[in-house]
Amino acid sequence: GESVGLHLPTLSVQEGDNSIINCAYSNSASDYFIWYKQESGKGPQFIIDIRSNMDKRQGQRVTVLLNKTVKHLSLQIAATQPGDSAVYFCAAAGWNTGNQFYFGTGTSLTVIP
Amino acid sequence: DVKVTQSSRYLVKRTGEKVFLECVQDMDHENMFWYRQDPGLGLRLIYFSYDVKMKEKGDIPEGYSVSREKKERFSLILESASTNQTSMYLCASTQTGNQPQHFGDGTRLSIL
C-alpha cells in the first residue's frame, strides 16, 4: 500500500510571504501526485499535479517539487494571500495501486493579514 | 467544469437506520469514489466503481455498501447506521485512474 503524511498540521504565514507545505510518501511505485486545497465547508479542489518523470511543475503562483530519492514533495505558494487560507493535502497513486489514491492528513494554512 | 453533486450537506440519523447518500456527476466519468474524512486521518476510501454495476472495496468497506445503476450516479448505503459512522463523506469522480479526482462538497453525517 501507500502511506502519505504531511510534516506540519498547521502553518501560519504573513500575507505576501511565500508558503511551503511538505508531504512524504512511502511507496516507491507511486508515480502520480496531486495537491488539493480544501476550504471550510467545501470539498477538496485540485490545485496542481505532477508525474514522476518531472521534478518540478509550476502553475499560477504555485510550484510543486518532487524528490523521488527521498520520497518527498512540496507545494510552494508565492505571495500568499488571505484567500489561500485553507487545508492543503497531497495525494499519491502508483502503478501498483490501480485507481486508488492515498491522501495525506492535511496542513491547515492560516494567512495573517 | 466538472460538477459533482452530493444530495445532502448535513444529515442526522439514528442508530440502526438505513442511510442513503447520493452522488451525481455530470461529466460522464467512468470512475466514482466514496471517501470518509475524519480529523487526523485524512481521506479514507470506502468503495469505488469503475463502471456501471461494478464496485470494488476500498480500505474501510465494513458497514457500507454501494450501488451504481447509472453511470452518473453512485450511492453509498449504511446498512445499519452506528455512531462510529459519524463523519464527513466525500464523493469523487474521474475519467481515468491517472487524472485528478473531482470532489463534491461533502455530506456531514451525524448518527445519534
Side-chain angles (χ1 to χ4, degrees):
Chain A
E2 168 71 281
S3 172
V4 179
L6 280 93
H7 293 181
L8 288 174
T10 61
L11 178 66
S12 295
V13 297
Q14 209 70 37
E15 182 178 358
D17 287 353
N18 297 335
S19 304
I20 299 176
I21 300 170
N22 296 301
C23 185
Y25 62 97
S26 64
N27 183 8
S28 56
S30 290
D31 56 10
Y32 181 49
F33 306 89
I34 301 176
W35 280 101
Y36 285 95
K37 172 186 180 182
Q38 187 174 20
E39 295 174 281
S40 181
K42 294 189 176 181
Q45 294 174 274
F46 168 82
I47 303 172
I48 192 167
D49 59 0
I50 188 167
R51 301 188 188 274
S52 58
N53 60 351
M54 303 174 73
D55 52 22
K56 180 179 180 179
R57 190 159 189 230
Q58 288 183 289
Q60 190 176 15
R61 281 200 307 118
V62 294
T63 301
V64 55
L65 299 178
L66 175 63
N67 185 329
K68 295 180 285 295
T69 303
V70 295
K71 300 190 190 70
H72 178 273
L73 70 158
S74 66
L75 176 71
Q76 300 178 5
I77 304 173
T80 315
Q81 301 168 0
D84 294 328
S85 292
V87 174
Y88 292 81
F89 54 87
C90 62
W95 58 266
N96 64 348
T97 65
N99 282 330
Q100 188 165 345
F101 278 89
Y102 290 88
F103 294 82
T105 53
T107 292
S108 178
L109 175 66
T110 301
V111 180
I112 304 164
Chain B
D1 262 2
V2 176
K3 184 82 173 162
V4 178
T5 304
Q6 295 183 230
S7 55
S8 305
R9 293 298 303 275
Y10 301 95
L11 209 51
V12 180
K13 296 290 182 180
R14 297 212 172 269
T15 303
E17 280 193 72
K18 190 168 186 176
V19 181
F20 294 84
L21 302 184
E22 306 286 346
C23 176
V24 177
Q25 50 95 3
D26 66 358
M27 282 301 291
D28 203 37
H29 282 168
E30 300 288 338
N31 303 301
M32 296 187 74
F33 306 80
W34 274 107
Y35 295 92
R36 63 178 283 176
Q37 184 177 34
D38 299 290
L41 294 178
L43 273 70
R44 292 180 292 166
L45 182 64
I46 304 171
Y47 268 97
F48 68 96
S49 168
Y50 52 88
D51 202 352
V52 175
K53 297 194 186 295
M54 306 300 289
K55 61 183 179 183
E56 293 284 345
K57 292 180 180 179
D59 294 322
I60 51 164
E62 297 78 20
Y64 303 94
S65 62
V66 289
S67 172
R68 187 138 181 234
E69 296 296 318
K70 293 185 178 181
K71 192 174 187 180
E72 68 271 18
R73 186 179 297 270
F74 192 34
S75 303
L76 179 70
I77 304 151
L78 284 66
E79 297 291 344
S80 177
S82 64
T83 54
N84 63 10
Q85 292 178 309
T86 291
S87 187
M88 170 68 86
Y89 290 86
L90 288 163
C91 174
S93 74
T94 187
Q95 181 56 22
T96 68
N98 257 4
Q99 289 182 350
Q101 295 184 3
H102 299 267
F103 286 86
D105 281 337
T107 295
R108 188 164 291 281
L109 175 64
S110 296
I111 307 296
L112 305 179

